[in-house]
Amino acid sequence: MQCTGRSGNSQHPLNRRSLVIVTFIKSRVEPYFGGLLLATVIAASATFMSEHYGAPVMLFALLIGIAFHFLSEEESCAKGIDFAAKALLRIGVGLLGLRLGLAEVTGLGFGPVAAIIGFVLATLACGALMSYLFGRRLAFGMLAGGAVAICGASAALAIASVLPPHKDREQDTLFVVIGVTALSTIAMITYPLLFQSLGFSDVQSGFLVGATIHDVAQVVGAGYSISDEAGVIATYVKILRVALLPVVMLVVMLSFRGAQQQRLSVPWFLVMFLGCAIAANTGVVPAPALALLNEVSRWCLVIAISALGVKTSLGRIIKVKASYSLILIVETLFLLTIAILYTMYVGP
């Protein structure tokens, strides 16, 4: 006896739709899963070691991540690691605005804001001078100076996009990105020790971290390795520097004939940071939600630093040309020196 209904191989339309949705989600998530899982496991391990041995969780995350660099180019990990190091970092930084209170902002005052503007302009000028002294093109000096003054690799890529076309532009940009990333990683480990040895308070150390370290990720890592208060201050000061990126891009565009015209935009995580800060200080975010979002922010940042460690190649760092390295090192030390002198005699 045969059944008169549909064949057993046919599917209900709802089941077919569910299968299509599941397949679509899998195709979107799967390329990122391996790298995100790796970064999350490293972050969890770093958190465990930090809680049991007392060392900064960000430092553990970075060092453990570096040990797994050999996985950074694996097809199953590359996309997830890149997503964690970029997107999760920016989400975490944006959510840090929830921790910024009016007391921290008013405690710093407007003097440091003016100082940050001065630091950025002075470092940009230092880059131009160093390129002249080392026989390099002015464009390279502006590229390197802007990367050191603003936000490291991200600023280098943004500034390179508005410089006049040149056959060595891509190579110069690559060297600057590698150099500032290496110096930022070194600074993340050494600067907190330096500032504490000089007797600076947590607020002063946070200001210096935010004012001197190049990349956003390393600023967050170094600041929170000192204290939560230093981490919040460091992020706030770094946001001020990042906000000056469109201004620096405009200066570069006006400094060269044939500079490429690009739309100047404000980074979205900066807007998110400011929006979160306003929301937190107006009391519209309930306390339980605020606690949850702060924890989400913390995990985003630890996972991002773990991914950054995985992406860090010690082999590439030592291949940077000597003259390029010297220019970046001099600019970095110049920025560090003027920031320390300001903090000692004028600053917060």
Side-chain angles (χ1 to χ4, degrees):
M1 180 178 177
Q2 294 182 341
C3 295
T4 57
R6 294 183 178 180
S7 169
N9 293 329
S10 64
Q11 293 181 324
H12 190 279
L14 183 59
N15 292 336
R16 288 200 300 271
R17 186 177 302 169
S18 299
L19 181 61
V20 169
I21 293 174
V22 169
T23 303
F24 175 79
I25 294 175
K26 182 180 178 182
S27 67
R28 294 290 182 178
V29 173
E30 194 170 28
Y32 299 91
F33 181 76
L36 283 172
L37 179 61
L38 173 62
T40 302
V41 170
I42 293 173
S45 302
T47 300
F48 175 84
M49 294 179 69
S50 175
E51 291 173 350
H52 287 76
Y53 296 101
V57 63
M58 297 295 186
L59 181 58
F60 274 133
L62 179 69
L63 296 179
I64 297 173
I66 290 174
F68 285 90
H69 172 69
F70 64 94
L71 292 175
S72 63
E73 301 299 328
E74 287 289 329
E75 186 178 351
S76 60
C77 293
K79 284 189 175 181
I81 289 297
D82 194 57
F83 176 82
K86 293 179 180 178
L88 285 187
L89 171 67
R90 284 158 175 75
I91 292 171
V93 169
L95 290 174
L96 281 178
L98 295 170
R99 304 186 190 184
L100 183 66
L102 289 176
E104 285 89 352
V105 176
T106 55
L108 280 178
F110 292 103
V113 176
I116 291 298
I117 296 173
F119 295 167
V120 168
L121 294 177
T123 305
L124 201 62
C126 178
L129 177 62
M130 287 299 104
S131 67
Y132 173 76
L133 294 177
F134 282 89
R136 298 292 174 182
R137 297 180 304 278
L138 175 62
F140 178 82
M142 300 290 276
L143 179 66
V148 172
I150 302 292
C151 53
S154 299
L157 295 173
I159 293 170
S161 71
V162 300
L163 284 170
H166 190 276
K167 62 182 178 67
D168 294 330
R169 181 73 61 241
E170 184 175 344
Q171 183 183 32
D172 288 351
T173 304
L174 177 62
F175 278 126
V176 170
V177 168
I178 294 173
V180 294
T181 301
L183 290 171
S184 290
T185 303
I186 294 170
M188 174 183 167
I189 298 171
T190 59
Y191 280 15
L193 299 176
L194 172 64
F195 300 150
Q196 289 178 317
S197 69
L198 292 174
F200 290 123
S201 66
D202 285 0
V203 171
Q204 291 174 319
S205 296
F207 170 80
L208 286 168
V209 165
T212 57
I213 297 181
H214 313 327
D215 283 315
V216 175
Q218 285 88 342
V219 166
V220 174
Y224 278 94
S225 72
I226 298 172
S227 70
D228 285 351
E229 183 182 21
V232 172
I233 294 297
T235 305
Y236 168 66
V237 173
K238 184 62 178 178
I239 288 293
L240 293 178
R241 290 169 67 190
V242 174
L244 293 173
L245 178 58
V247 178
V248 171
M249 291 175 66
L250 183 61
V251 170
V252 172
M253 287 171 57
L254 296 175
S255 301
F256 296 93
R257 289 183 178 180
Q260 303 176 56
Q261 301 297 315
Q262 298 282 342
R263 184 172 61 89
L264 304 180
S265 59
V266 177
W268 63 265
F269 66 90
L270 187 154
V271 178
M272 182 179 176
F273 180 91
L274 296 177
C276 286
I278 293 171
N281 285 281
T282 53
V284 298
V285 183
L290 190 61
L292 176 62
L293 290 172
N294 282 334
E295 190 65 13
V296 169
S297 173
R298 189 186 76 83
W299 275 103
C300 282
L301 293 173
V302 179
I303 293 171
I305 297 296
S306 301
L308 180 69
V310 177
K311 287 169 65 86
T312 299
S313 170
L314 299 180
R316 292 182 69 187
I317 289 174
I318 64 175
K319 293 180 181 179
V320 179
K321 287 184 179 180
S323 60
Y324 288 169
S325 300
L326 286 173
I327 291 174
L328 290 170
I329 290 171
V330 169
E331 290 173 347
T332 299
L333 293 177
F334 172 78
L335 177 59
L336 176 64
T337 300
I338 60 176
I340 287 178
L341 290 175
Y342 169 82
T343 305
M344 281 183 170
Y345 300 108
V346 182

